């Protein structure tokens, strides 16, 4: 076997596999992700709100700014729900193009990647009383 074949075999063996969670758990996590994004695209603040923890930490990396080193754009649950109510991301359904990918799952936590043509979100979700909700979101706007 060539060196390249050995390297490729090792890389594929260490690649992350689909999370070892039952299908119902994965579906519930994905449903929360879609409540978050589809609620924004529909302009449905109640749908977005039910996907979010009351103490949501939603942030985007700004980097160094004149006012802050390692700056972050911060947004609360209330701000996101208000923007949704205003219809900031409202988009006709035929233009929707979004994916939710569950990256990792434990008994009470999950890591999820959401991608749309406009942004990428990385979520930390928690399971509270059997319900998955977004606790943390780190997002990045895509160039237009």
């Amino acid at each position: 076997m060539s060196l390249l074949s050995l390297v490729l075999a090792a890389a594929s063996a260490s690649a992350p596999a689909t999370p070892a969670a039952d299908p119902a758990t994965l579906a519930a996590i994905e449903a929360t992700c879609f409540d978050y994004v589809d609620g924004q695209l529909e302009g449905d603040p109640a749908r977005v709100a039910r996907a979010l923890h009351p103490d949501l930490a939603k942030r985007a990396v700004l980097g160094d700014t004149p006012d802050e080193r390692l700056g972050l754009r911060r947004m609360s649950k209330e701000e996101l729900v208000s923007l949704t109510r205003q219809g900031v991301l409202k988009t006709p359904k035929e233009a929707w193009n979004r994916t939710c990918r569950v990256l990792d799952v434990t008994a009470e936590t999950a890591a999820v990647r959401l991608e749309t043509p406009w942004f990428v979100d990385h979520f930390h979700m928690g399971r509270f009383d059997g319900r998955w909700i977004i606790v943390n979101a780190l997002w990045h706007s895509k160039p237009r």
Side-chain angles (χ1 to χ4, degrees):
M1 187 179 264
S2 73
L3 180 57
L4 178 58
S5 297
L6 287 172
V7 170
L8 292 174
S12 67
S14 65
T18 302
D22 64 271
T25 297
L26 293 174
I29 292 167
E30 289 172 351
T32 298
C33 183
F34 286 120
D35 278 344
Y36 171 90
V37 67
D38 293 354
Q40 291 180 68
L41 296 175
E42 292 169 343
D44 182 346
R47 187 170 182 191
V48 173
R50 77 174 175 230
L52 304 175
H53 188 277
D55 195 25
L56 172 75
K58 181 173 170 68
R59 297 182 174 104
V61 173
L62 295 176
D64 291 344
T65 70
D67 300 318
E68 185 176 24
R69 173 139 169 70
L70 305 174
L72 294 170
R73 161 71 170 99
R74 295 166 179 87
M75 187 181 302
S76 67
K77 174 182 180 175
E78 293 78 19
E79 288 174 279
L80 183 57
V81 170
S82 177
L83 290 170
T84 302
R85 187 174 292 108
Q86 296 168 35
V88 171
L89 284 179
K90 197 165 184 178
T91 304
K93 195 162 190 165
E94 60 273 4
W96 292 10
N97 180 13
R98 76 280 187 269
T99 59
C100 290
R101 187 165 49 112
V102 179
L103 305 174
D104 191 30
V105 181
T106 67
E108 279 93 25
T109 65
V112 180
R113 183 179 195 276
L114 162 67
E115 185 165 0
T116 75
W118 313 284
F119 56 86
V120 174
D121 271 287
H122 289 92
F123 299 138
H124 290 135
M125 291 188 191
R127 182 164 40 190
F128 298 88
D129 294 323
R131 192 173 131 242
W132 290 95
I133 57 176
I134 299 166
V135 177
N136 297 310
L138 184 62
W139 65 280
H140 165 77
S141 288
K142 291 182 173 182
R144 297 208 175 223

